[in-house]
Amino acid sequence: MKFARFYPIFLDIETTGLKPHEDKIVAIGIRVREEIFEDECEVTTDTKIWLAEEDGKYSEEKELTALLELKDTLQSLMNFHRNDGRSLLLVGYNIGFDLGFISARSAILYYKYPKSGDLNLKQLLRVRKALGLAGLLRELPRVDLMHIISRYWLNNGRAKMKDVCSALGINYDDCDGSEIPKLVEEGNWVAIEEHLKADLYRLSHLYSILKLQGLIAHNLRVRYDLFDCEVDLL
């Protein structure tokens, strides 16, 4: 029996709106199934978040940095899990929105930077690296929990994560994603970070439920033609 082994990476972003040519990414977060990252106090954690914030305000430079940090982190995880034969599996709720927004913003930020002598070689290579993020994200297999819930629980109906979590008794008493633009305007980056952390936890919780039902494995078999494989999920 052949095995298709996957290591889930929960991905979510916070934006100021729905249009990447007008709006910004203000926070990017990922969560893994074990404690492998380190924070400033050298305490291991399962979540990593990058804020596009500097001195309490949105920073285009910090947005670019967040995109580059995401790329470097995913590349490191890919290299690490290549040794145990696992592929990274991107997991999100309406993840197509996140991937599309990230792809568009990485291109927009790249082309907004000057390509003349204003940047030294190191800076130019750093900015150019942002363009590679879109391809990396599209190469990785992914699972959209919204799609699975809509198809298998709601007979192709649609539901917001907040409504699904409320029905399952999963805590959702922090701010709503629609409040992010106001929080950015107020400079309340703590609330933005806490909401993103909570959303990543909720993604992990929903994934665990759907995994136990066999729906994650089924979705992967159908999407990637893995019917001759045993799907192994962490």
Side-chain angles (χ1 to χ4, degrees), residues 11-14 27-30 47-51 174 191-202:
L11 171 69
D12 193 22
I13 65 174
E14 300 299 338
I28 300 174
I30 61 173
T47 303
K48 204 165 187 65
I49 287 177
W50 301 277
L51 298 175
D174 50 290
I192 294 171
E193 183 173 5
E194 289 304 312
H195 172 68
L196 185 50
K197 284 181 180 177
D199 263 357
L200 291 167
Y201 164 76
R202 288 184 278 261

Side-chain angles (χ1 to χ4, degrees), residues 80-118:
F80 179 81
H81 286 287
R82 188 174 289 125
N83 294 329
D84 61 12
R86 290 188 181 276
S87 172
L88 299 191
L89 176 66
L90 294 177
V91 181
Y93 201 90
N94 192 19
I95 195 170
F97 170 81
D98 300 85
L99 299 184
F101 212 103
I102 288 172
S103 298
R105 289 301 299 167
S106 63
I108 289 168
L109 289 174
Y110 170 75
Y111 283 104
K112 285 184 72 173
Y113 271 72
K115 305 301 184 295
S116 63
D118 294 336

Side-chain angles (χ1 to χ4, degrees), residues 15-17 176-186 192:
T15 71
T16 57
D176 188 84
S178 62
E179 300 175 52
I180 296 299
K182 181 181 178 182
L183 294 175
V184 172
E185 189 175 321
E186 295 172 348
I192 294 171

